[in-house]
Amino acid sequence: MSDPVGLIGGASGPLRDGQPGKVQNQPTDGEAFRQALFGQLREASEMRQDADKAVEDLMTGQRTDLEGVLLATQKADTAFQLLQQMRNKVMEAYQEVQQMRV
């Protein structure tokens, strides 16, 4: 299974310096999650812009490789679907927290 957006095993994961339980340069208060999420959103947006440009170039005759255009559109679609699934999971978790009794 591939990771087109780079969430699995990317540089955003916790970095350990060889000591059990010690995390190096880890932002706190959800900052790491926010940075990872915005980074992936930015990357998915760039993929979509690349795909749009590739389709536009193909339609205007500036580009002739159909395979490259298909690959760019598939990458953009896969990145969008992955982000959509992440959003759905976050919303499910939020709704579960809302229903908790304090």
Side-chain angles (χ1 to χ4, degrees):
M1 184 168 160
S2 67
D3 182 22
V5 182
L7 289 175
I8 301 171
S12 60
L15 300 174
R16 303 203 183 264
D17 62 353
Q19 298 177 5
K22 185 165 184 172
V23 178
Q24 209 177 36
N25 297 331
Q26 185 73 15
T28 58
D29 298 327
E31 186 65 25
F33 178 74
R34 187 182 78 81
Q35 288 175 355
L37 183 62
F38 281 123
Q40 299 308 320
L41 283 171
R42 192 175 315 111
E43 194 170 327
S45 177
E46 290 172 0
M47 285 184 191
R48 183 175 172 264
Q49 290 173 352
D50 290 344
D52 288 345
K53 176 81 170 114
V55 169
E56 185 179 313
D57 288 348
L58 183 68
M59 298 290 282
T60 58
Q62 296 175 351
R63 187 174 181 156
T64 57
D65 64 329
L66 182 60
E67 300 86 17
V69 174
L70 288 174
L71 183 63
T73 55
Q74 281 295 319
K75 283 173 63 177
D77 185 52
T78 302
F80 178 75
Q81 287 179 9
L82 182 60
L83 286 174
Q84 194 174 25
Q85 290 298 317
M86 286 176 52
R87 181 195 61 103
N88 291 342
K89 289 293 181 183
V90 168
M91 289 304 297
E92 284 178 24
Y94 176 72
Q95 288 172 351
E96 283 183 24
V97 169
Q98 267 188 327
Q99 293 174 356
M100 284 183 180
R101 293 184 182 190
V102 181

